[in-house]
Amino acid sequence: MLRLPEAQRDLFKKPFGTLYRGIEELLPRLEGRAVYAVGDVVTHNLLDAGIVPDIAIIDGYTMRTPCTRSPLLKARRMTAKNPAGTITDELVDAIERAVRDPPGVIFVDGEEDLAVIPLVLAAPDGAAVLYGQPGEGVVLRIVDASAKREAESILKVFVRE
């Protein structure tokens, strides 16, 4: 398991991609791409916009409170334990399985916030990864070599336990 040290938590205050105020603004960027969503609200908002994500990673919560808009997707369901502030091997394995054989929903027992990092590393070039930036909007990261390099560098601040 990888743990994000408390001193490095600010790293995730800056968007890991382009920040949009809402899903509607970024819809044109999703055309023809695999779409991967991290978070219950982002997934719900994609579904409301008529886009079914190829992969959704959800935990049933938004900003630490139960999410009343948890999406119901008709896709293969996997579960993974992932405590807050960590990236577990179990989560990474589930992400890799989902990317190899979409569609899939990964229901996280714990917290899915940091899943965007291993998801970008596992995703094929050209995929669109979306996640919520609390209080600000939704972040879109198109996977390419630069995104993978940045994800790798972020992982270097984590501590293996």
Side-chain angles (χ1 to χ4, degrees), residues 31-155:
E31 289 179 27
R33 298 182 186 277
V35 175
Y36 302 154
V38 177
D40 296 71
V41 173
V42 168
T43 302
H44 176 82
N45 290 341
L46 279 171
L47 292 169
D48 273 359
I51 306 231
V52 178
D54 297 277
I55 296 171
I57 304 174
I58 60 176
D59 66 1
Y61 288 83
T62 183
M63 296 175 66
R64 308 243 194 299
T65 59
C67 183
T68 58
R69 299 189 302 176
S70 288
L72 296 173
L73 294 167
K74 293 181 177 160
R76 179 175 46 122
R77 184 179 163 127
M78 295 171 266
T79 58
K81 285 187 170 65
N82 195 75
T86 70
I87 298 173
T88 62
D89 295 338
E90 191 175 335
L91 177 62
V92 172
D93 290 344
I95 288 170
E96 289 172 351
R97 283 195 320 271
V99 167
R100 272 194 311 272
D101 187 22
V105 176
I106 301 170
F107 192 85
V108 176
D109 178 5
E111 198 171 274
E112 93 286 73
D113 297 10
L114 299 176
V116 68
I117 303 304
L119 183 56
V120 164
L121 290 172
D125 283 355
V129 175
L130 293 88
Y131 70 93
Q133 188 78 13
E136 296 186 50
V138 61
V139 176
L140 168 65
R141 184 65 185 243
I142 303 299
V143 177
D144 59 11
S146 172
K148 290 182 184 277
R149 278 193 305 274
E150 192 174 339
E152 285 284 356
S153 73
I154 290 170
L155 274 184

